[in-house]
Amino acid sequence: MSEDANKMWGGRFKSAAHKVMQTINASISFDKHLWRQDIAASKAHVAMLAKQGIIEDEAAQRIADGLDRIAAEYARDGISEDPSLEDIHMHVEARLTELIGPDAGRLHTARSRNDQVATDFRLFVRDACDEADAQLASFQEALVNRAEAHAGTIMPGFTHLQSGQPVTLGHHLLAYFEMAARDRSRFADARKRMNLCPLGAAALAGTSYPIDRDATASALGFDGPARNSIDAVSDRDFALDYLMAASACALHLSRLAEEIVIWASQPYGFVKLPDAWSTGSSIMPQKRNPDAAELVRGHSGRILGTLVSMATMLKGLPLAYAKDLQNDKPPLFEARELLTLCLEAMGGMVADLEFVPGAMLAAARAGHATATDLADWLVREQDVPFREAHHIAGAVVAAAEARSLTLEDLSIGDLKAIDGRLDEAALKALGVESSVASRDSFGGTAPDQVRMQIKAARDYLARR
Ligand code: ARG
């Protein structure tokens, strides 16, 4: 081996790698984020090697102590990157060699960087699932708190962004609670499925050393060892699972972000953005821009992009490991960083938004949102077939519109002129309060139903 050849694998090489080869090959600039997982997995591995009598106890102890020292150094000083050392695994091993000498070379017995990186990465993604779950729980908490205060606050419920039927703000907010609950269950499923340990799969075929895969798996908090060594080193569907859950979650956050943008606009005025969540304009002094909400909307697109990037990287790969797989990390790291930020921002905005019930109520009245209630009243009280009732209610809307009135502004006389069967009680059906109170089917918008949903939501949060 020449002096220049790579220390880790250069035994049969005569010269060093081309500079560009080094650059394209190196992953330390991003996989340094795996150092905690890498050291934890190495400690579990070396303890198992000693217990199985594969290496001497004394060497194992020196390796473990060295690894602890490296962890302390990294935590204190960060990692000084050396692209010729390619990745985090080689950085740790090189430093260990500096610290304890040739015994460091025993650590890599009965493993390969292939099972090593697959293990590190699973540990990382597992943490990311736990983090998302905790953040989603806080987001849900914020939603329930606001929903409770606004269980009876009336706003227009929309379809096609047209005023549809009046709803309560509490009901609307709890819709996002449900989405967040499903997001959490997606992360939980992903976590459960990924929680099998690749360590011991070695390069791809397993190893001839008498290792104990159950021991390393349990030391690292896995439910057991991954069953097939070829699969264990080559698939990254656990990362896809995370990114799919993250994408679904980000899309939900994006919808709420879009609503905040709409609600905060002047024509709506349903919410006031507090100073803490607004930005100003350098030229238009009146501005209070919802930049955080817009960025959540924007970031959700980037998160979806990471899913596409990971899936595309995997789709054409023959088994088992190929270096393409090194590209699994940047998209996942990006998604995790963005999702964390989006969840923090949305949780914060939901907690701090100032709702304007007066503007919501006025919009619910102005949009003729109780036309369906009038039709339902005719069906229920006058036994009119729904199609005919729909027609009569339509005529009532037209009459109000022609005079720029809300439905509630119409008089009995106005109604009677359209259909003789309409009376005092019909007029009451046109009120948004009675409309909302009447929708008390399970899961409906009536304040009493919303309070039941809040109770269920609180029970759920107490359980998780
Ligand atoms: N840095 C590599 C990665 O992240 C580690 C595995 C290298 N394995 C190999 N056969 N070259 O994928």
Side-chain angles (χ1 to χ4, degrees), residues 197-452:
C197 186
L199 200 58
L204 78 162
T207 175
S208 56
Y209 294 96
I211 59 171
D212 180 353
R213 291 197 58 204
D214 289 297
T216 39
S218 101
L220 294 168
F222 287 105
D223 296 330
R227 260 186 306 274
N228 180 301
S229 62
I230 295 176
D231 172 53
V233 293
S234 65
D235 206 354
R236 296 292 184 268
D237 60 353
F238 62 90
L240 274 183
D241 274 348
Y242 171 86
L243 293 179
M244 287 190 264
S247 295
C249 176
L251 299 188
H252 288 149
L253 296 179
S254 182
R255 296 185 75 176
L256 179 54
E258 168 68 1
E259 296 205 306
I260 291 174
V261 171
I262 293 171
W263 292 348
S265 70
Q266 280 79 13
Y268 277 78
F270 288 5
V271 297
K272 282 209 186 88
L273 282 175
D275 288 356
W277 295 106
S278 314
T279 55
S281 156
S282 54
I283 176 165
M284 298 166 283
Q286 84 282 12
K287 288 297 212 126
R288 177 177 280 280
N289 293 328
D291 289 27
E294 290 167 13
L295 284 164
V296 168
R297 192 174 60 186
H299 286 359
S300 72
R302 290 174 60 191
I303 292 174
L304 188 59
T306 65
L307 169 62
V308 175
S309 154
M310 184 80 74
T312 311
M313 184 266 291
L314 283 173
K315 80 175 268 297
L317 285 189
L319 300 181
Y321 181 88
K323 200 64 174 258
D324 314 43
L325 287 169
Q326 181 162 281
N327 280 336
D328 57 0
K329 287 169 251 353
L332 194 122
F333 292 163
E334 183 184 7
R336 182 196 188 169
E337 199 178 311
L338 291 175
L339 187 69
T340 302
L341 199 54
C342 289
L343 279 165
E344 268 174 12
M346 290 312 289
M349 271 189 280
V350 166
D352 297 346
L353 276 181
E354 208 182 296
F355 292 108
V356 187
M360 293 185 178
L361 181 64
R365 291 208 165 110
H368 309 312
T370 53
T372 318
D373 296 271
L374 184 65
D376 286 342
W377 182 87
L378 280 162
V379 171
R380 204 171 49 239
E381 304 298 330
Q382 302 291 344
D383 197 26
V384 178
F386 183 77
R387 279 288 155 242
E388 189 189 340
H390 185 283
H391 207 78
I392 297 167
V396 172
V397 169
E401 222 157 43
R403 292 157 57 201
S404 299
L405 296 176
T406 74
L407 292 180
E408 284 174 85
D409 294 333
L410 294 171
S411 69
I412 297 281
D414 296 333
L415 295 185
K416 287 249 181 262
I418 292 163
D419 192 293
R421 286 167 293 190
L422 296 170
D423 62 14
E424 212 85 24
L427 199 60
K428 227 184 123 219
L430 289 174
V432 289
E433 285 85 1
S434 54
S435 160
V436 155
S438 73
R439 298 227 152 72
D440 65 351
S441 54
F442 179 82
T445 206
D448 284 347
Q449 279 299 326
V450 173
R451 284 188 198 99
M452 275 166 61

Side-chain angles (χ1 to χ4, degrees), residues 27 31 86-87 89 113-114 117 321 323 325-326 329:
S27 54
D31 66 19
E86 207 176 313
D87 58 24
H89 324 296
R113 277 188 297 156
N114 294 352
V117 74
Y321 181 88
K323 200 64 174 258
L325 287 169
Q326 181 162 281
K329 287 169 251 353

